[in-house]
Amino acid sequence: MAGKSKCVIENASPHTIKKFELIDEYIKSWAQKLMLNDACNSLIFIDCMCNSGVYKDNGGVLVEGTPVRVSKTLLDVARTYTDKMVHIYLNDKEKSKVDELKKHIPQDERNFHIVTSVGDANELLKTIGPQLYQAGHMHYFLLYDPYDASIDWEALLPFFRNWGEVMINHMVSDPVRAITSAKKKTTKTKYENTYLEDFEKLVPYGSDKKAYEARVEEIINSLKGDRRYYVSAFPFYNTQNSLVYNLIHCTSNREGFKLYKKSAWKVFGAQSSTKHSAENRQLSFDFTGVITEVEDESCLHVIDIAKYLKRCLKDRKQVPLDEMWEILDNHPIFPSEGFRNEIKADLTGFFDAKIEMIMNSDTGKKETVISFSS
C-alpha cells in the first residue's frame, strides 16, 4: 500500500514547484482581466496532463500542484463574478492519479464546474479543440505539460486558431541529452513528431538547446495563422544549474503577453529564470579599457533591462517614459510592468539618467521623460 501511494504522489523538485507558482500567479491575474471584459462570459482551463494534483517536496511535505492551485484560484474568481462561468477540464492517463486528484479539488458550484477524465491527452484535445470554432464569448487557457519532449501539434492546432492561450512545457533537456544516442524507432518518431523534421535532420542539433527552442518557435509561428501572435518562453533550471525545460506562453492578446512576463519575473525573484547566479558577475575589458559585466542570457536581471533600454535609446537625449515602457511591451522576455521603479533606479543610478517633468510643445501638456546626459 505504501509503495502504491508513493507512486501516485510523486516528488517535486524546487524548479517544478516554481512552475506551479508561475502558472497559478499568471492565472490569478489572467482570470481577473478577462472577467472584467464584457466580451467574455466563460473561462475554460484545461490541464490535459495533470498528474495527481499533489506532490511531496524534498522534505517530504505535501505540495499542491497546478490543477489544485488553479482550481482553488478559479473558484474564488467564480464566487466573485457570479454572472460568469468557469469550466475546468483535468485529465491524466492514469486512473490512480485522477482518483487522488479528486480528493484535493473543490466541489462544483452553480457557475463553477470541474470535469475529470482518464485517457490520452491528445485524444481529449482532439475532441475539445474543434468545438472552440463554434464557441463565442469563451476564453480558454490550455496547459500542455508532457513528461518528455512529446508534442502533438495536430491536437494543439485549434487552440492556436481561437480566442485563448496555450502554455507548453518544452522539455528541451530530453533531446539535448538523448537525441544523438536514440536507437529505437519509437524514440526517433517521437522527436520527428515534436520537431516536425526527419530524424536525420535533427541529429546535427545535438546538444544545442537553442536549435530546439528555435524550431519549436518556428512551428508555433507557422500554426498561428495570419494574426499577430506573441510568444514568450522562460527557462527552468535545476539545483545544478542545468536547463530542464522552457515554459512557453502563446497568445494573440498583447495584455496576456505582458502579464506572463510580469508574472515570471515576480515568481523568479526579479530575474528571468530559476537559475542560481552570483550577484557579482564576471568582469571583462573591452578594447577601450572600459570594464563591463559579462551578461548571462540564461538568467537576466533588472540591470540587464536598464542596459537594454540604454542601448535602444543611445541616440536620444530625452524620451517619454511611456515610449520607454512600450519598448519593453514588445520584448519577448523583459517585463514592462511590475518592475518600473527598479528599472528607473538602475537607469538613474548606473547611467546618469534623470526622470523629470517637462511641457510637451506639441500637445501643450506635461509629460514625464527620462533624460540622458550622453
Side-chain angles (χ1 to χ4, degrees), residues 168-340:
I168 301 173
N169 185 346
H170 175 210
M171 193 70 70
V172 68
S173 59
D174 177 355
V176 164
R177 181 184 68 252
I179 202 165
T180 54
S181 59
K183 304 297 181 185
K184 293 182 180 179
K185 181 175 176 56
T186 53
T187 304
K188 293 180 179 180
T189 300
K190 177 188 75 171
Y191 291 132
E192 288 178 335
N193 292 340
T194 295
Y195 299 106
L196 300 183
E197 287 277 20
D198 292 337
F199 184 75
E200 289 73 19
K201 293 183 179 179
L202 293 172
V203 172
Y205 286 19
S207 60
D208 183 2
K209 64 181 186 296
K210 289 187 177 180
Y212 300 105
E213 294 167 349
R215 181 57 187 155
V216 166
E217 189 161 345
E218 282 179 9
I219 295 170
I220 292 170
N221 285 327
S222 71
L223 296 178
K224 66 181 177 56
D226 296 330
R227 60 192 175 147
R228 179 69 188 271
Y229 212 67
Y230 302 91
V231 179
S232 186
F234 286 91
F236 285 71
Y237 290 80
N238 61 21
T239 53
Q240 285 76 46
N241 273 350
S242 295
L243 176 65
V244 184
Y245 50 76
N246 291 319
L247 201 58
I248 309 171
H249 178 254
C250 314
T251 181
S252 60
N253 186 298
R254 192 184 191 210
E255 292 305 310
F257 173 67
K258 290 161 55 179
L259 183 59
Y260 182 56
K261 294 187 293 179
K262 174 184 175 182
S263 300
W265 279 70
K266 178 180 177 181
V267 168
F268 294 156
Q271 60 184 46
S272 68
S273 76
T274 60
K275 189 174 182 180
H276 300 285
S277 59
E279 289 296 324
N280 298 317
R281 303 186 198 172
Q282 183 179 350
L283 301 179
S284 65
F285 290 89
D286 65 15
F287 290 112
T288 63
V290 176
I291 301 176
T292 59
E293 288 183 326
V294 177
E295 187 175 281
D296 181 2
E297 291 184 357
S298 62
C299 189
L300 299 165
H301 298 79
V302 173
I303 184 63
D304 297 307
I305 303 176
K307 286 193 284 187
Y308 170 76
L309 289 170
K310 184 66 169 68
R311 289 196 298 270
C312 289
L313 304 171
K314 64 180 180 179
D315 296 324
R316 306 275 300 276
K317 294 244 175 165
Q318 210 169 62
V319 180
L321 276 187
D322 288 345
E323 182 181 336
M324 188 175 77
W325 302 136
E326 192 170 348
I327 291 172
L328 296 180
D329 282 347
N330 297 308
H331 194 278
I333 299 172
F334 291 150
S336 57
E337 299 174 351
F339 296 87
R340 292 186 174 185

Side-chain angles (χ1 to χ4, degrees), residues 42 62 67-68 91 141 143 157 166 174 181 183 196 234 288 293 309 338 354 368:
S42 297
L62 202 67
V68 176
N91 175 81
F141 181 97
L143 175 61
L157 180 60
V166 178
D174 177 355
S181 59
K183 304 297 181 185
L196 300 183
F234 286 91
T288 63
E293 288 183 326
L309 289 170
K354 292 181 180 180
T368 306

Side-chain angles (χ1 to χ4, degrees), residues 8-10 51-56 62-65 68 100 104:
V8 172
I9 301 178
E10 300 176 0
N51 212 301
S52 63
V54 289
Y55 299 79
K56 289 184 178 178
L62 202 67
V63 175
E64 292 179 345
V68 176
E100 180 66 32
H104 304 278

